[in-house]
Amino acid sequence: VVSAGLLVGSGDDATVVERHAPMVTSVDAVVEGVHFRIPPFTPAQAGAKALAVALSDLAAMGASAREAYVQLGLPERLDREALALADGIGEVAAREGVAIAGGDVSRSPSLFLAVTAVGSVEEASAAVRRDGARPGDALVITGEVGGAAAGLLVLERPELGAGIETVALDALRARQLEPRPRLGAGEALARAGASAMIDVSDGVAADAGHVARASRVGIAIEAERVPVQAGVAEIAAAAGLDPVELALGGGEDYELLASIPPDKVASAEEGLAGVGERLHVIGSVGAGTEVEVRQAGRRREIPGFDQLGARRAPSGPA
Amino acid sequence: VVSAGLLVGSGDDATVVERHAPMVTSVDAVVEGVHFRIPPFTPAQAGAKALAVALSDLAAMGASAREAYVQLGLPERLDREALALADGIGEVAAREGVAIAGGDVSRSPSLFLAVTAVGSVEEASAAVRRDGARPGDALVITGEVGGAAAGLLVLERPELGAGIETVALDALRARQLEPRPRLGAGEALARAGASAMIDVSDGVAADAGHVARASRVGIAIEAERVPVQAGVAEIAAAAGLDPVELALGGGEDYELLASIPPDKVASAEEGLAGVGERLHVIGSVGAGTEVEVRQAGRRREIPGFDQLGARRAPSGPA
């Protein structure tokens, strides 16, 4: 994919890109052994996920993705996998219409991928920040959650998947190994008037906390309204966990969590339908400064999970 | 430093920057044990050099530097040095007028710094590429070279510095530990009409080779005309090396090497004087496809050095 505005590509000291709009930039680095392991990730999946996660941050701003720059730290033992890794990145770039405008490969004792994703918005005020949530707004989420955490559990302990349909199991594993940035949904939510937006990387509860703190508001989440991916409840039961913990504390689903005035929810739903995505109202923005998760009429705590599956302390910033 | 165009800073999913000019982007990653070691580098110097090297690529395009994004992979043993490292980056950013617009710290088994530097040019055609050198152009270089390689030798074998003035020794070590991007010089050379430009990271001979290949021209370098930093000859002699090898093969000086029509050399010299830098004509562009180094009227080979001081094979791409 070559971006229309790419004037000088890689091979020179730097890349030159024509840009006559506000530029939205996200940086994200992932490190083997910290953010992922090979296996269960293949090198191609590790590359693809690194780019997808950086693009997800652009989605969370309502930006349109344009270019990405990839810096790869490659240990000798993975030299033969370098092409597969680049292919994984290239596939996501092609699918999402992003140009890989520059890059750099370094020898490194451990594998890392540092991605810089660049997008644009029509005007700066169109970028949806974390700090715009207002009391009275609805809290909405795209797609379904819990799948990435359940997928990781199954990858680490395959016996947890006994008795679950293969299709559902494959989808759970793919949620963890091959997440997809919700770029179309992010643009649609921005157009519909989302007041704040974030991608679900740390977990719905923790990410709602980031919005609450930035916006200086309280957020109430109704656990029963949170859309949970098929198979998550079964994996949770097999692992002796509460499914709500996986759905709200699990993270890495890379769905979009947004606040939006209630009278704009219908047009947001329409916009999302236009890009093949579904929207769910899962709570509301109010006064206060905290995130409250309610289940069966009572308040409850949501412990978080880190990206290699260990349980974290309840809620709190990542 | 906050860039005038920085609309949403770090803390959100992404950064938003107002940009109504072609954008020039360079990515550069450095890895401990591969590109540098601590010591002799302090963490602050490692951070400062990572940013300086990325900015040097913008200088080599004739671009004006705007923002930088820094992704840090931090091993636990350096946790207490993280602030010093950030300070080193901040000092270079402040001195060069660059905003650190975003960043990311990851746990990593080994220290890495992946920097994305963003600059701009007034119009895309103003970016000076590697492929514009034409037969008849003069080959020019800013400042003096050889110091970074000699500085590394002295850091590794302090006895080589015996008998050299402290001021010169300090300057050699600083060339290696604290290189400076030639941003003002790069803009001045672009304005004066440089036809191709590159920064001296791999060594004058190897970097001239990059220009020759991209431009499909031959380049002749006259070794006697290459400006060599004070003390390089003495260090080379003490190490049993030819000073020309350090000056042309050493690399990491981060001076700018450019081709320019002969009738524009005088205005380039004036432009550089305006930013406190000096320009030297060290050769010429001609027909052919190779870099020829001439010394005492004869052609000679220049072996390269890698960034940790081991000798590389003669010339060739890095």
Side-chain angles (χ1 to χ4, degrees), chain B residues 73-316:
Chain B
L74 193 70
E76 227 171 299
R77 80 187 145 78
L78 290 177
D79 273 355
R80 290 192 314 168
E81 313 280 2
L83 273 181
L85 206 156
D87 280 349
I89 295 169
E91 264 179 47
V92 172
R95 189 184 69 217
E96 305 295 345
V98 171
I100 302 298
D104 179 65
V105 181
S106 299
R107 179 59 72 213
S108 168
S110 48
L111 177 67
F112 69 82
L113 288 127
V115 178
T116 303
V118 182
S120 59
V121 285
E122 282 182 22
E123 43 186 327
S125 61
V128 184
R129 303 160 59 149
R130 294 181 181 181
D131 62 1
R134 294 291 167 263
D137 285 349
L139 184 72
V140 298
I141 196 164
T142 62
E144 297 171 331
V145 293
L152 188 58
L153 282 172
V154 161
L155 286 164
E156 290 174 344
R157 299 166 58 193
E159 70 277 12
L160 296 178
I164 302 180
E165 275 184 55
T166 310
V167 176
L169 270 183
D170 285 348
L172 291 175
R173 284 187 288 249
R175 245 319 157 103
Q176 172 60 230
L177 298 172
E178 299 170 355
R180 298 196 165 210
R182 302 303 187 201
L183 286 159
E187 289 189 73
L189 276 161
R191 271 194 305 271
S195 54
M197 189 151 59
I198 193 168
D199 63 330
V200 179
S201 54
D202 296 336
V204 174
D207 289 315
H210 299 322
V211 171
R213 266 187 302 281
S215 300
R216 299 165 188 273
V217 295
I219 291 180
I221 299 174
E222 294 171 49
E224 285 94 346
R225 300 183 71 172
V226 174
V228 180
Q229 189 170 336
V232 170
E234 290 84 344
I235 299 292
L241 295 168
D242 182 338
V244 172
E245 292 184 14
L246 289 187
L248 292 182
E252 290 207 280
D253 290 304
Y254 298 103
E255 296 294 348
L256 298 175
L257 181 70
S259 60
I260 186 167
D263 59 343
K264 295 180 174 170
V265 169
S267 79
E269 283 171 340
E270 261 178 56
L272 258 73
V275 296
E277 309 265 1
R278 290 195 62 189
L279 197 70
H280 294 264
V281 177
I282 62 167
S284 58
V285 179
T289 57
E290 295 203 345
V291 173
E292 188 175 299
V293 177
R294 298 192 70 84
Q295 187 177 18
R298 306 166 77 159
R299 182 178 178 151
R300 57 162 299 171
E301 293 300 311
I302 301 294
F305 293 79
D306 82 10
Q307 286 162 314
L308 289 179
R311 210 180 285 210
R312 272 195 271 111
S315 75

Side-chain angles (χ1 to χ4, degrees), chain A residues 12 15 17 23 25 116 130, chain B residues 12 15 17 23 25 28 116 130:
Chain A
D12 218 301
T15 304
V17 174
M23 190 183 112
T25 302
T116 303
R130 295 182 180 180
Chain B
D12 217 301
T15 303
V17 173
M23 190 182 113
T25 302
D28 236 306
T116 303
R130 294 181 181 181

Side-chain angles (χ1 to χ4, degrees), chain A residues 68-270:
Chain A
Y69 303 82
V70 181
Q71 302 176 70
L72 178 63
L74 192 70
E76 226 169 300
R77 80 187 146 78
L78 290 177
D79 273 355
R80 292 191 314 166
E81 312 280 3
L83 273 182
L85 207 156
D87 280 349
I89 296 169
E91 265 180 46
V92 173
R95 189 184 70 216
E96 306 295 345
V98 171
I100 303 297
D104 179 63
V105 181
S106 299
R107 178 60 71 212
S108 168
S110 48
L111 177 67
F112 69 81
L113 288 127
V115 179
T116 303
V118 182
S120 59
V121 285
E122 283 184 21
E123 45 187 325
S125 61
V128 185
R129 303 161 57 148
R130 295 182 180 180
D131 63 1
R134 294 292 167 261
D137 284 349
L139 185 72
V140 297
I141 196 165
T142 61
E144 298 170 331
V145 292
L152 187 58
L153 282 171
V154 161
L155 285 163
E156 289 175 345
R157 299 166 57 194
E159 71 277 13
L160 296 177
I164 302 181
E165 274 183 57
T166 310
V167 175
L169 270 183
D170 285 347
L172 291 175
R173 284 186 288 248
R175 245 324 157 98
Q176 172 59 229
L177 298 173
E178 299 168 355
R180 298 197 164 209
R182 301 304 187 200
L183 286 159
E187 289 188 73
L189 277 161
R191 270 195 305 272
S195 54
M197 189 150 58
I198 193 168
D199 63 330
V200 179
S201 53
D202 296 335
V204 174
D207 290 314
H210 299 323
V211 171
R213 266 187 303 282
S215 300
R216 299 166 187 272
V217 295
I219 291 180
I221 299 174
E222 295 172 50
E224 286 93 347
R225 301 183 71 173
V226 174
V228 180
Q229 189 170 337
V232 170
E234 290 84 344
I235 298 292
L241 295 168
D242 181 338
V244 172
E245 292 182 15
L246 290 187
L248 293 182
E252 289 207 281
D253 290 304
Y254 298 103
E255 296 294 349
L256 298 175
L257 181 70
S259 60
I260 185 166
D263 59 345
K264 296 180 172 168
V265 169
S267 78
E269 284 172 339
E270 261 178 57

